[in-house]
Amino acid sequence: MELYFPTEFGERLAYCSAAVTALIGLFLMFAPGYAYRFLKLQVKEGRSEAYAEARSAGGFMVGFGLMAILLAQPMIYLALGASFGVAAFGRILSLMSDRGSIFLSLLLLVVQAALAALPFLYGLGYI
């Protein structure tokens, strides 16, 4: 099985979204402390379960991103786009109800919305 690189522009955008998902997952998996500092989160002293959660979520993102790249099917890209869309909706709920860093949350909302839109638009046939 050889690695497939898309020839259509829309599929390339969806492919890039999957690649970014896998890279973010790798960052979460192998550097959870840095990821938590970037997100302005703290691990409670003596409780390392938070690192396990970050690594687990990172592993999920790596697996999802790599499978989208390897399988290169519109339905997989739709699932990736829908997942990031729901995550962006959760970020909007957090912006409306939680007190946190507005700038960071808005920045991450834009990233999640872009990562949702690219594969979703390709999967639906708009690009």
Side-chain angles (χ1 to χ4, degrees):
M1 180 177 183
E2 62 185 62
L3 185 62
Y4 166 75
F5 188 73
T7 56
E8 296 177 22
F9 179 68
E11 191 175 3
R12 281 186 185 170
L13 293 176
Y15 183 94
C16 288
S17 178
V20 168
T21 301
L23 289 175
I24 291 170
L26 284 172
F27 182 65
L28 278 171
M29 238 168 77
F30 293 110
Y34 289 119
Y36 281 151
R37 271 187 236 126
F38 175 76
L39 296 171
K40 297 182 177 151
L41 299 173
Q42 267 184 327
V43 177
K44 192 173 180 180
E45 190 67 35
R47 306 286 294 193
S48 62
E49 291 86 5
Y51 293 118
E53 289 301 317
R55 291 181 198 278
S56 175
F60 181 81
M61 292 177 79
V62 168
F64 202 169
L66 287 180
M67 283 300 100
I69 288 170
L70 292 175
L71 296 176
Q73 297 294 314
M75 294 306 270
I76 302 290
Y77 288 132
L78 276 174
L80 182 64
S83 298
F84 270 113
V86 173
F89 179 70
R91 177 89 43 198
I92 291 169
L93 289 177
S94 177
L95 279 167
M96 291 189 314
S97 60
D98 303 333
R99 293 184 194 136
S101 173
I102 299 296
F103 176 74
L104 181 62
S105 290
L106 286 175
L107 176 68
L108 292 173
L109 175 63
V110 169
V111 169
Q112 286 176 329
L115 289 174
L118 296 176
F120 206 62
L121 291 174
Y122 169 72
L124 292 174
Y126 288 113
I127 56 172

